[in-house]
């Protein structure tokens, strides 16, 4: 994408798109070039199908992902709607024949972006990258075994998604509070082609802790009940979330021997 040398380094409002591949560390050195080639193939096919010229956008490689900025002259709704639809369809069809299906986490935010000879930077870039890398996006992609998860910022949801439009259905998004390096933010998540995901704690007035299928929903950090985020208390103890038939005992002294767990394969005591 060409930029006027006179305003190089000046902030301009653009759509920032962060794209990350699922489980990139699980690919061998021989497999990674194929994974990267697949990422670029689905992105460029989606750009072509959406009528967005490849040279009209800034794109920089991130190893296991891609960072994109789209100038203001291209409607954000086109990227959120038609481009995302084409991206999902291309990925879904490709994954039918892939031994290792490619999963992508895509995040979008509009804000001031600064360009230089090395790439782009700014708070808008940091936010988009943080949303794509969030535990909610990661967990949602894994839990649902989806091809693609989309995360958008609160401002982008309010200004572009909420009004709706062709290929944009606000009812298919669900909100969650997530913690990034800059603090807590609200983000909206979508699994393209599916109903709004169950995310547990939400910013909406009424929220359900159970998905429609009856399975437990993830909490605001993207973990299901009974899982741990690996963080500890101030004294170094792990913080566990208990659910279903799991109990957490902390600072407890038992006066007699206890059995923890299920009795399996033993005779039940008869009354």
């Amino acid at each position: 994408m060409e930029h006027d040398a006179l305003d190089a380094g000046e902030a301009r409002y653009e759509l920032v798109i962060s794209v990350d591949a699922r489980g990139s560390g699980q690919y061998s050195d021989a497999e990674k070039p194929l994974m990267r080639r697949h990422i670029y193939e689905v992105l460029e096919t989606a750009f072509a199908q959406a009528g967005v010229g490849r040279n009209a956008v800034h794109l920089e490689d991130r190893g296991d992902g891609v960072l994109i900025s789209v100038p203001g002259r291209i409607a954000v709704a086109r990227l959120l709607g038609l481009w995302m639809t084409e991206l999902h369809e291309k990925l879904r069809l490709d994954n039918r024949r892939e031994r290792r299906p490619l999963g992508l986490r895509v995040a979008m935010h509009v804000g001031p972006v600064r360009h230089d000879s090395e790439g782009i930077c700014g708070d808008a870039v940091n936010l988009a990258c943080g949303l794509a890398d969030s535990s909610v996006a990661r967990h949602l992609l894994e839990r649902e075994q989806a091809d693609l998860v989309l995360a958008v910022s609160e401002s982008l949801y309010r200004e572009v998604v909420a009004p709706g439009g062709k290929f944009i259905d606000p009812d298919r998004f669900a909100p969650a509070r997530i913690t990034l390096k800059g603090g807590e933010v609200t983000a909206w998540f979508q699994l393209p082609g599916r109903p709004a995901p169950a995310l547990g704690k939400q910013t909406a007035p009424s929220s359900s802790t159970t998905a429609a299928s009856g399975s437990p929903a993830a909490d605001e950090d993207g973990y299901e009940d009974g899982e741990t985020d690996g963080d500890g208390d101030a004294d170094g103890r792990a913080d566990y979330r208990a659910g279903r038939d799991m109990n957490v005992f902390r600072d407890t002294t038992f006066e007699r021997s206890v059995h923890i767990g299920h009795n399996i394969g033993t005779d039940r005591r008869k009354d």
Side-chain angles (χ1 to χ4, degrees), residues 13 28 44 59 62 86 108 127 170 180 194 225 231 245 266:
Y13 272 77
S28 68
E44 292 177 359
L59 188 151
R62 289 298 180 97
E86 295 292 347
M108 297 186 182
L127 178 54
L180 303 179
R194 304 190 189 188
D225 291 339
D231 294 330
D245 57 353
T266 59

Side-chain angles (χ1 to χ4, degrees), residues 101-217:
L102 176 65
L104 295 180
R105 302 186 307 275
V106 178
M108 297 186 182
H109 173 60
V110 172
V113 177
R114 297 180 185 274
H115 291 256
D116 58 29
S117 60
E118 303 300 328
I120 59 175
C121 63
D123 288 342
V125 175
N126 295 341
L127 178 54
C129 292
L131 295 180
D133 194 47
S134 68
S135 57
V136 175
R138 289 176 176 274
H139 184 80
L140 190 57
L141 194 64
E142 287 300 317
R143 188 188 74 185
E144 301 298 331
Q145 287 299 292
D147 301 307
L148 180 65
V149 62
L150 169 65
V152 301
S153 64
E154 170 74 3
S155 59
L156 186 54
Y157 177 86
R158 183 176 61 251
E159 296 166 6
V160 182
V161 177
K166 191 172 184 179
F167 304 113
I168 301 177
D169 183 357
D171 292 337
R172 292 180 179 266
F173 287 77
R177 291 290 290 176
I178 61 177
T179 302
L180 303 179
K181 290 181 179 179
E184 277 198 353
V185 300
T186 296
W188 291 76
F189 295 84
Q190 180 197 38
L191 293 168
R194 304 190 189 188
L199 293 177
K201 294 180 182 179
Q202 300 178 16
T203 56
S206 60
S207 61
S208 172
T209 58
T210 304
S213 62
S215 59

Side-chain angles (χ1 to χ4, degrees), residues 228-248:
T228 176
D229 59 6
D231 294 330
D233 293 335
D235 59 3
R237 294 174 301 179
D239 180 18
Y240 290 94
R241 298 169 174 82
R244 296 182 283 278
D245 57 353
M246 176 181 174
N247 294 307
V248 171

Side-chain angles (χ1 to χ4, degrees), residues 35-46:
M35 177 266 287
R36 286 164 48 80
R37 188 185 308 163
H38 193 185
I39 292 175
Y40 279 93
E41 182 183 342
V42 296
L43 291 177
E44 292 177 359
T45 298

